[in-house]
Structures are given as structure tokens and as C-alpha cells.
């Protein structure tokens, strides 16, 4: 186990022993050193999109203060904040809000919540979802944070049109201006132009930070702060990660060690990674992680396929496959040492077979389940690693975010790909634009309709 002094995150690899030898990790050190140089000195592919590397310590302090002020304003005048975005424009914020709050907090009545309800739109084109969300808002006061670097991405652009019209109908054009917050490119784009013309308060998606790395910018910070998250502590945790995960030496850097082990396992045929959790408040973190991993590594016919396992729930669905199916997967268990709250199993006379557990804490049962499952899967031929936070708070979350971000950068370079572009994402967009008849796509429209 590699533990950093005064750190909140530990990385454990004991259960990899049957699958990876120490010499394999040692032999990978020269390549990791090269990957570190490419990342730190900006000589690797995609270097223009590595500003996230020092974001926790070199962020815009003035904008940070404006984010905090805007969050307080929304908290004062709104019962709901609608966050409009897709992919990296919402996954990080949603993961953080779930991570930092009691699971059902976002569904409590207004009088039982200390902060606005945060709802997400623009992440699909399903009309029933949008109509349902509008019903949930009802007559309550609400504000909108629309997040898009270009402003022309179809899913959020449609949603913004709908909610912009709703705000103008409810509060008038001038009143709507006071409830629309735009997070977009600093210099260009349709949304930036609209925000300037209408006078919306505007925040920046930095040029050197790709969407999947943007949770520690205004993209994630405004929704998180509005929901009551302490974004100063979140940033401090990431800053601690920036220091902790900066050494190129594999024996001193758990994030690099994680990247190296992933690479070793991938070369041995373990092409699918499951990020495992044992708490529903961590489910959305897995969704954020899937985009970070999949969009960074899945290209050039290569890459580990990222998936999640929400245990113990999923053990009763595809747990059989994990235990006895094709041996092409490995697991990374992401768990918290100290639960936010606990339940003691009641003592009673009922003959339900639980007499041996009465008086125990559910957290003990949950952790024991995680350990028993891990050992069973290792015995079944599934390599396992553990990333563990000692507390489920903003500081720990910031450190975990940075851990996975820097790890995937090194992992991508080790696999010979650019971890900061996403050329494959544009293919579906082009086809969608063509089939929808967007001007400029007429030739493609004709081609696609013949194929269909």
C-alpha cells in the first residue's frame, strides 16, 4: 500500500500480486518518465489542452469570487437551478453534488433543503425527460446555467431555447437576464456572442482545459457552489493532489502507479476496467470517470473500455459474469473509509437469519461485502486495485478528481495516443447535422439518406 503523509487518498495494489510482478512495474519506469516529461514540459500530443494540470493553484481568483457571489445570488432568489450541458459540461458537477450531499437531498421539499434543487437538462434530446423536468420546476422560482464552449451543440442548445423562453415568459426579458448564467468560450462562439448582446453574467471555459477536465473550472464550480458545496475546500484538495502526484518516480506517485498498472494489465488482455462503488452517492462519480477514461483513451483502435459496477446492487445482475465470464476485465474499487452516517441493525426476535448481525453497523457489513467480493473476484481471475478516501468531503473529492485526471494523461501517453482530443465524437455530430438538414451539410444529407 502506498500512503502519502497527511493525505486523504490511498492506493492499494496488494490484490494485483497474482497478475503483475514487481519487475513489470520497474521495467515500465523509463516509459513513465518519458510520459511525465511529455506532460510536464508540454512536448506531448495535445499539450495545448493541459492547463488543467496547474488549475488548482493557478486559477482565476477574480472569477472564483464571482462564482461564489453568483451562487449566493441564485440561492437567494431561486428554488431551482437548471444546469444545461452535456458530457463534461455537466457530468463533473452532477458527480460532485451527489458525492457531497445525502442521496435524496435533491428530492426533498423546498422547506427541507438549505440550498436550491439542481436539475440537469440538455444532456439528451428526449422530449419526455424535458417535459418531466419542467413539471418538477412547476411554479417555483428558478435560474439557468447554460454551459457550452461553442453554444451550437444540439442537445444543450435546444434545452436553452426552451428554458430561455420559460424565463422570459415568467419574469419578462429583463428579469430573465438576471437569472441566466452563461459558461462558455472567452473569445468566440454563438453563446458568447449572445451573452454579450443580452448582458448575461458570463463565466469562462478556459481554452487549455477540455470538457472532461473542466469540473474544477466555472463549468463545475458554479453548480457545485449553488448546491452548497465548499468550492474552496474542493480546490484545496485538488491542489494537494497537484503536489502529491507530481513525482515521476513510480514508487512515490500513486496516480502514476495506477496508470502503469492499467497499462500492464491492458497489454495482458485485460481490456475492460470496472470502477466499482458500494454507495449510491458515488454512482455519478463513475459516470464522470467513464467519460474521462473513454474519451481520453479510446482512439486509434486502442484503449481500455471503461464501465462501472454499482455494488452490491449489480452483484445480483451481472455479478455472475464478473465472477465466471470472459477474463478480459479488471476492477478498481473506489470507496470511502468513514461513512457520512450509519445505521445499527436492530435487535429483534424475528427468525430472518440475521441474528448474527444484530447490533452491527451497516457500514461494517458494507465494507465486509466489498472485501469478500474483491477476494472472490481475484480468485476468479479478475485483477483488483483500490482507491480509497478516508472521508467523503470536498477536500477528498478534489484530490480524487486530480488523481484520476493526471493518471489518465500518463496512461494515454503510455499507450501511444493523444489523451486530450476526441476526434471520434465529431462523427455522430456530423451525421446528425446532415440528417437534420443543417445548412452546409447538404451533400452529406443526400449520402446518409441513401444509406438509410
Amino acid at each position: 500500500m502506498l500512503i502519502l503523509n497527511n493525505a486523504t487518498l490511498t492506493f492499494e495494489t496488494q490484490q494485483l500480486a497474482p497478475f503483475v510482478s514487481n519487475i513489470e512495474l520497474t521495467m515500465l519506469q523509463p516509459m513513465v518518465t518519458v510520459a511525465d516529461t511529455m506532460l510536464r514540459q508540454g512536448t506531448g500530443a495535445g499539450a495545448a489542452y493541459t492547463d488543467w494540470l496547474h488549475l488548482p493553484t493557478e486559477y482565476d481568483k477574480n472569477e472564483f469570487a464571482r462564482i461564489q457571489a453568483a451562487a449566493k445570488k441564485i440561492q437567494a432568489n431561486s428554488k431551482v437551478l437548471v444546469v444545461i450541458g452535456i458530457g463534461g459540461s455537466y457530468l463533473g458537477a452532477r458527480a460532485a453534488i451527489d458525492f457531497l450531499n445525502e442521496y435524496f437531498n435533491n428530492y426533498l421539499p423546498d422547506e427541507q433543503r438549505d440550498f436550491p434543487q439542481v436539475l440537469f437538462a440538455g444532456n439528451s434530446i428526449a422530449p419526455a425527460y424535458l417535459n418531466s423536468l419542467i413539471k418538477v420546476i412547476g411554479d417555483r422560482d428558478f435560474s439557468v446555467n447554460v454551459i457550452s464552449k461553442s453554444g451550437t451543440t444540439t442537445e444543450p442548445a435546444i434545452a436553452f431555447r426552451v428554458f430561455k423562453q420559460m424565463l422570459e415568459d415568467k419574469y419578462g426579458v429583463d428579469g430573465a437576464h438576471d437569472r441566466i448564467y452563461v459558461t462558455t468560450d472567452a473569445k468566440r462562439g454563438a453563446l458568447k456572442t449572445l451573452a454579450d448582446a443580452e448582458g448575461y453574467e458570463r463565466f469562462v471555459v478556459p481554452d487549455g482545459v477540455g470538457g472532461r477536465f473542466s469540473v474544477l473550472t466555472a463549468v463545475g464550480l458554479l453548480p457545485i457552489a449553488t448546491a452548497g458545496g465548499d468550492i474552496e475546500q474542493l480546490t484545496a484538495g485538488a491542489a494537494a493532489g497537484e503536489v502529491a502526484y507530481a513525482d515521476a518516480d513510480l514508487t512515490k506517485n500513486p496516480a502514476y502507479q495506477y496508470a502503469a498498472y492499467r497499462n500492464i494489465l491492458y497489454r495482458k488482455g485485460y481490456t475492460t476496467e470496472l470502477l466499482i462503488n458500494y454507495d449510491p452517492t458515488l454512482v455519478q462519480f463513475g459516470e464522470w470517470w467513464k467519460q474521462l477514461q473513454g474519451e481520453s483513451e479510446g482512439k486509434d483502435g486502442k484503449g481500455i473500455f471503461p464501465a462501472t459496477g454499482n455494488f452490491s446492487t449489480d452483484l445480483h445482475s451481472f455479478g455472475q459474469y464478473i465472477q465466471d465470464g470472459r477474463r478480459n476485465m479488471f476492477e478498481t474499487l473506489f470507496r470511502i473509509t468513514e461513512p457520512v452516517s450509519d445505521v445499527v441493525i436492530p435487535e429483534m426476535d424475528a427468525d430472518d437469519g440475521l441474528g448474527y448481525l444484530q447490533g452491527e453497523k451497516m457500514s461494517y457489513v458494507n465494507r465486509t461485502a466489498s472485501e469478500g467480493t474483491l477476494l472472490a473476484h481475484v480468485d476468479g481471475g479478475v485483477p483488483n486495485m483500490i482507491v480509497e478516501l478516508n472521508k467523503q468531503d470536498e477536500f477528498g473529492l478534489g484530490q480524487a478528481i486530480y488523481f484520476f485526471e493526471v493518471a489518465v494523461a500518463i496512461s494515454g501517453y503510455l499507450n501511444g495516443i493523444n489523451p486530450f482530443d476526441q476526434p471520434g465524437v465529431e462523427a455522430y455530430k456530423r451525421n446528425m447535422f446532415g440528417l437534420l438538414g443543417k445548412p452546409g451539410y447538404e451533400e452529406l444529407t443526400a449520402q446518409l439518406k441513401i444509406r438509410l
Side-chain angles (χ1 to χ4, degrees), residues 132-369:
S132 180
L133 193 155
I134 291 170
K135 288 180 181 178
V136 170
I137 296 172
D139 294 329
R140 293 182 294 167
D141 289 318
F142 73 101
S143 295
V144 166
N145 176 205
V146 56
I147 306 167
S148 175
K149 195 165 181 63
S150 67
T152 58
T153 303
T154 305
E155 296 91 339
I158 291 173
F160 182 50
R161 276 205 176 197
V162 172
F163 285 104
K164 179 176 180 289
Q165 184 65 59
M166 286 177 59
L167 284 170
E168 291 177 349
D169 290 346
K170 186 177 179 69
Y171 301 104
V173 174
D174 291 338
H177 287 176
D178 205 37
R179 292 175 175 273
I180 294 175
Y181 301 84
V182 172
T183 307
T184 190
D185 191 272
K187 301 175 182 177
R188 63 186 71 83
L191 191 54
K192 192 267 182 185
T193 300
L194 176 65
D196 289 346
E198 297 290 341
Y200 302 143
E201 183 160 10
R202 180 167 58 84
F203 300 98
V204 173
V205 182
D207 286 339
V209 181
R212 57 189 176 276
F213 293 88
S214 68
V215 62
L216 297 175
T217 72
V219 170
L221 295 180
L222 179 56
I224 294 167
T226 301
D230 186 339
I231 59 174
E232 292 183 5
Q233 279 296 302
L234 181 70
T235 302
E242 184 178 336
V243 173
Y245 313 134
D247 200 312
D249 188 339
L250 278 172
T251 66
K252 299 177 181 178
N253 190 331
Y256 282 21
Q257 201 174 107
Y258 170 61
Y261 277 122
R262 294 178 78 248
N263 187 266
I264 292 169
L265 291 169
Y266 175 66
R267 294 184 185 206
K268 291 187 173 189
Y270 297 99
T271 56
T272 295
E273 179 179 11
L274 296 176
L275 187 73
I276 304 300
N277 72 77
Y278 281 80
D279 191 316
T281 60
L282 305 182
V283 169
Q284 291 302 321
F285 186 90
E287 296 302 303
W288 169 80
W289 174 88
K290 281 198 298 188
Q291 185 197 7
L292 179 70
Q293 303 294 331
E295 203 166 81
S296 296
E297 292 192 304
K299 55 198 72 168
D300 299 337
K302 297 183 287 188
I304 297 168
F305 181 79
T308 55
N310 305 312
F311 292 173
S312 59
T313 303
D314 286 343
L315 290 174
H316 297 263
S317 54
F318 67 93
Q320 170 63 40
Y321 188 95
I322 298 172
Q323 187 68 44
D324 291 332
R326 189 173 182 179
R327 301 297 78 184
N328 66 338
M329 67 179 68
F330 64 97
E331 294 174 307
T332 299
L333 171 58
F334 181 54
R335 69 182 180 188
I336 313 296
T337 306
E338 184 179 324
V340 174
S341 63
D342 219 328
V343 173
V344 175
I345 300 172
E347 297 184 12
M348 57 180 60
D349 296 329
D351 186 17
D352 57 4
L354 287 181
Y356 71 106
L357 289 178
Q358 60 186 16
E360 295 284 2
K361 293 180 178 179
M362 280 187 67
S363 62
Y364 162 75
V365 179
N366 199 29
R367 188 177 184 87
T368 302

Side-chain angles (χ1 to χ4, degrees), residues 4 7-11 52 56 95-96 99-100 212-213 215-216 233-242 244-245 254-255 258 275 282 285-286 288-289 292-293 332-336 386-408:
L4 301 177
T8 59
L9 183 149
T10 59
F11 177 55
W52 57 270
F99 184 97
L100 297 171
R212 57 189 176 276
F213 293 88
V215 62
L216 297 175
Q233 279 296 302
L234 181 70
T235 302
E242 184 178 336
Y245 313 134
Y258 170 61
L275 187 73
L282 305 182
F285 186 90
W288 169 80
W289 174 88
L292 179 70
Q293 303 294 331
T332 299
L333 171 58
F334 181 54
R335 69 182 180 188
I336 313 296
I386 302 174
V387 177
E388 184 163 1
L389 293 175
N390 64 345
K391 290 185 179 180
Q392 192 165 339
D393 61 11
E394 287 90 345
F395 190 91
L397 176 61
Q399 195 166 1
I401 287 170
Y402 196 88
F403 174 92
F404 285 111
E405 287 181 343
V406 76
V408 81

